């Protein structure tokens, strides 16, 4: 009886530990599958939730992994380029480089 408990108890602890770690890595695995652009934030939240045993952080990581935010920068950059072309203004970065070369 005692030998069975000595063998069974560490196996139960190992199984529980494996289950606990696999449960905590669910948001990270979800983000890896879809190549999420907030992958580092999700990884940080899951690691903090694992180390601090704070379930709110794990839930937040799960929500961020499940929701894929829309890409807002691409349309804004396109509008900025179109407005610059419409106004026929030179690129401000290139014009400052030309002024530096003229002074030299």
């Amino acid at each position: 009886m005692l030998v069975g408990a000595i063998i069974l108890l560490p196996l139960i602890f190992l199984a529980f530990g494996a289950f606990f770690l696999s449960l905590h890595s669910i948001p990270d695995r979800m983000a890896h599958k879809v190549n999420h652009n907030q992958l580092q934030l999700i990884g940080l939240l899951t690691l903090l939730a694992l180390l601090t045993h704070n379930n709110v952080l794990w839930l937040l990581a799960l929500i961020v992994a499940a929701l894929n935010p829309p890409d807002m920068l691409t349309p804004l950059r396109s509008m900025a380029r179109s407005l610059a072309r419409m106004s026929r203004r030179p690129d401000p970065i290139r014009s400052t480089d030309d002024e530096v070369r003229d002074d030299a």
Side-chain angles (χ1 to χ4, degrees):
M1 179 75 174
L2 187 63
V3 174
I6 291 173
I7 293 173
L8 191 61
L9 197 60
L11 290 177
I12 290 173
F13 280 133
L14 285 174
F16 180 73
F19 172 73
F20 185 73
L21 290 176
S22 67
L23 182 69
H24 266 277
S25 68
I26 287 174
D28 201 31
R29 284 186 278 149
M30 285 174 57
H32 273 288
K33 281 183 186 176
V34 295
N35 197 14
H36 205 280
N37 53 357
Q38 299 290 336
L39 185 62
Q40 290 180 346
L41 174 68
I42 295 167
L44 180 69
L45 285 172
T46 54
L47 183 63
L48 285 174
L50 178 67
L51 295 176
T52 62
H53 301 291
N54 193 347
N55 294 333
V56 174
L57 294 175
W58 184 83
L59 187 62
L60 184 63
L62 188 64
I63 290 170
V64 171
L67 299 176
N68 201 1
D71 182 20
M72 297 298 281
L73 287 178
T74 303
L76 290 175
R77 287 181 184 147
S78 175
M79 285 186 262
R81 276 194 304 268
S82 298
L83 287 173
R85 273 190 237 132
M86 286 172 51
S87 65
R88 290 186 168 62
R89 290 186 185 171
D91 192 6
I93 296 172
R94 290 182 185 156
S95 63
T96 56
D97 290 341
D98 293 339
E99 291 172 5
V100 170
R101 287 187 198 136
D102 292 340
D103 293 339

